Amino acid sequence: MLLPNNERQRLKLLNQYQILNTPPETAFDEIAQLAKDICETPIALISLVDEQREWFKSKVGIAISEIPRDLAFGSYTILEREIFIIPDTLQDPKFANNPLVVSNPYCRFYAGVPLINAHGFALGTLSIMDNMPRTLSLKEKKALKSLAKQVIRFLDLHQQKFLENSQWNYQLLFTHHPSPMWIYDCNTLQFLDVNEAATTHYGYSKSEFLQMRIIDIHPVEDMPMLLAYVARNRSGLCNYGKWRHIHKDGKVIFIEIICNNINYGNQNAVLVYIRDLSARQQVELKLQDSEARFRVISQAIPIPLVISRVSDGIIIYANPEFLHTFQFSPDDLLQTKISDLYHNKSDWNKLLTEFNHDGFLHNYEIQLHKADGTNLWVIAYWRYLKYNNEPAVLQLFNDITERKNSEVKLQEQNEFLQSIFQNIPLMIALIGADYDVHWVNHKFEETLKYSLQDFQSRNILSEFYPNEEYRQEVIEFIQSGQPVWHDFITHIKDGSIIDTSWTNVKLPNGHTIGIGQEITERKQNERRLKAQAEREKLMRKVSERIHQSLNLQDILNATVEEVRDLLQVDRVVIYQFAPDMSGEIMAESVLSEWTVSLGTKIHDSCFQSRGISNYYQGYNRAISNIYQAGLTDCHIRLLEQFEVKANLVVPILLEVNENNIGSSPWGLLIAHQCANFREWEEHQLDLLDQLTVQIAIAIQQSNILQQAQIEILHREQAEIKLRSALAEKEILLKEVHHRVKNNLQIVSSLLHLQAQTIKDPQILKAIQESQNRIESISLIHKNLYTNPNIGKIDIAEYINSLVTGILISYQIEPGQISLKTDINSVILNVDQAIACGLIINELISNALKHAFSNQESGEISISLHNNNRDIQMIIRDNGIGLADNIDWHTTPSLGLSLVYDLVTEQLEGSITIERNQGTIFNIQFSQFTLHE
């Protein structure tokens, strides 16, 4: 527990106020209540801090009356000269585990003003507490200080009142008298009062004395004589006497007393003055054996002791420990001077001068010689004394050689570590608990341009970080003590700004080691990379907009918006040249506080003749201050019309042909800074330069689009004419298919009429087969006539209709022959459809006639699939099967011969036959395109 430097005087003065342990007083209670109301806290206290406790003279919001001093907040407050504030006790290591914090009243906030009297002593505190963290306003701090002054005034009034009502002379002569004094009741012999010297001399406390009678300090054998003495003293005369008293520890004290009868609080009492005779009676005995005891002690003490004469410095006595430590024999000491022991004569002369001036030496570290010539370090103590009745000097030496060697090693280690810290390529600083810098290494001074001496006289932290909020972030980072790297922008002594990165190492004593490095180059690279990434991102956005939109105005609007957002400028415009070298602002993005210039046409001859000449040559320009850029007055006035103070200007150049780039200036891309002047960075100008390439692409793309739109318009007009002609052709073709279908129906009907007159079954069979073939061809033309896509036939629909007609024509009973189809929706041209229809007609008809002659039921399946550009058609039945010796070239069957010819010649495909539980015809051919 820390104590004030003037603690002894402070406690003495506090006791003189005579206010400790006094009852509550309205004046103090009103001040405490006022402090509570002003600061809006639940607790307010007026306390006094004595040797063991903080005692509450007034309390509001708390029940206890005192706190042990080692736990009291007031112990810290009286060390201060101004208000002492703990914003959050849980965040302060000194108070986080304090019982007042972790238990009732759960104090999280404390503010105390020391009660400093006119003599400069802090007697106690005026304090407030809250159960939640907080701060005080300036008004609240001022109010607390004013109330504290009022408390001091009331304390002074209390002291004055006490002094007026007390016997000041009694206090002066009795309480503080250097000799023991007491007052006892003549009748009861009870002690009524004792002074401080009595409590010190007899070992009893004042409260113990007041519980005793005077007979309690006399030996029992002296009691009759004492009672007779007391009876005689009741006459009121001043009496003398010598007595024996008993100390609290039982020791007998020889004393002489002087007694006087007095009136003490309306009581007959005796004032006793005591003089101790014990020392005088024992002095002779002590003198007699002092030399003997000195020799015994000097022989026994475990440190070197030597006595030398003042006159010549010759050593006249040395104890055994001296002889052992310095490796002397008794004979060696004969005629040896004490000065011969000292390693450095200048040290001896210095010590001798100081000793002669002060009369003593204490705790003086010095290097001495041993008898063998080796050295040792000692702490020397010198005192004058008389030895054998002649003036002498007593010297004691405490050997600290081992400690000195350890200090040397430690110093070497410190120097080694300091050398490392000084030469390590990192900034290192030792920071105290109050953020004061105790030490910095060379790299720190070299980088930040501040020396360690600067930190002693200046608030360097505020110079490093002028912005208060930013500085608070730095302080919080130091407070956190986290071993992580954090980047900061730091102002150095020469006025420039650098980027630094810091980490902390928290030490057990509350100090912090800050380790840092300059990262300006890295940060600049990061900013360049970030700018490059943003530039590439913007390029991608503009490029995507060019590819997503064919509208030039949309592209220009999006470009100026993105550029203004990226560069954080006030206005971005795209200016287009007219043929007469005037111009118009075609796109603009501008902050709301600035005048809109979109659509403005510029006919200023000054700008046309001088301002834009360089831009026609493809030059870029970055102007940080229009008044210092060497512009003409008329050019400056033109820029002032648009509220410009700084700008970036890049020409937009179009490529005329492959061999001549930039010969045709289209306009300008301009970024304006209106609010203030601005220093531009090189990459910002590069960004606009790259953007003009994208804008030029968009402009050229827009020109191409306009030409394409004209061509498309012409094509659309031609297409309308072609569609009209095609519609007429489609009508004609449908009419042709309709007529062909009707003619085939007539032929089929004629065959049907002819069949009615023929009786020969073979002829009827041939006519019926021909009729089926005609129906398959007629069905094709019917589909073409009704299909909206003339020239193409959906084969699935056609085959289903064809097979249904065949089954009907052969009058197959329901359930006798089942037909299954698995046909993809394949589009065929007319020739392929007719050939497939005839093939299916022949093979299905052949199966119905021959495959199931001995069976009651059967199954026929047709599948047709498209595999890329190849078509596979499979016709399968589970009938009796074909003969093994069928030859396509010599077969007598007209139907099979027709099938083979249709596959190989009409479809240009292949056909294979499998005879496994029936017959399978596998036909493959390529799908023809429309023009084929």
Side-chain angles (χ1 to χ4, degrees), residues 634-694:
C634 59
H635 192 177
I636 292 175
R637 288 194 297 272
L638 176 63
L639 293 176
E640 288 177 338
Q641 292 178 17
F642 297 97
E643 305 162 310
V644 178
K645 292 187 176 179
N647 65 8
L648 295 174
V649 186
V650 179
I652 302 170
L653 305 175
L654 298 185
E655 180 181 352
V656 176
N657 53 55
E658 294 181 356
N659 299 320
N660 190 5
I661 299 176
S663 60
S664 176
W666 181 88
L668 302 174
L669 173 60
I670 310 173
H672 287 315
Q673 189 71 26
C674 301
N676 44 46
F677 304 117
R678 177 169 176 174
E679 292 294 334
W680 303 100
E681 298 180 19
E682 184 177 354
H683 71 85
Q684 295 171 332
L685 191 61
D686 292 341
L687 169 65
L688 297 190
D689 193 29
Q690 294 179 31
L691 271 178
T692 57
V693 177
Q694 299 293 329

Side-chain angles (χ1 to χ4, degrees), residues 326-433:
F326 286 84
Q327 300 180 1
F328 280 104
S329 68
D331 294 337
D332 293 334
L333 293 179
L334 295 175
Q335 300 303 313
T336 299
K337 290 187 177 183
I338 190 67
S339 60
D340 296 337
L341 299 178
Y342 286 81
H343 175 72
N344 192 318
K345 296 305 178 183
S346 62
D347 288 343
W348 162 258
N349 294 329
K350 181 179 179 182
L351 263 65
L352 191 60
T353 301
E354 187 174 340
F355 179 69
N356 291 332
H357 180 270
D358 298 333
F360 62 89
L361 280 179
H362 274 301
N363 298 327
Y364 206 101
E365 295 184 6
I366 195 72
Q367 197 173 26
L368 303 181
H369 281 304
K370 293 183 181 180
D372 61 1
T374 59
N375 296 326
L376 78 161
W377 281 93
V378 299
I379 297 178
Y381 301 85
W382 290 19
R383 282 288 185 277
Y384 277 116
L385 81 164
K386 279 192 175 183
Y387 189 81
N388 294 330
N389 294 321
E390 63 178 327
V393 177
L394 169 67
Q395 297 188 32
L396 296 174
F397 303 117
N398 186 12
D399 189 354
I400 59 170
T401 304
E402 184 176 350
R403 192 197 79 186
K404 271 293 185 179
N405 292 336
S406 299
E407 288 178 355
V408 170
K409 290 181 180 179
L410 182 60
Q411 180 65 24
E412 291 175 351
Q413 292 176 354
N414 289 339
E415 291 175 355
F416 174 71
L417 292 175
Q418 190 168 1
S419 175
I420 293 176
F421 288 151
Q422 286 289 6
N423 294 289
I424 197 170
L426 292 172
M427 295 182 286
I428 302 177
L430 179 62
I431 304 170

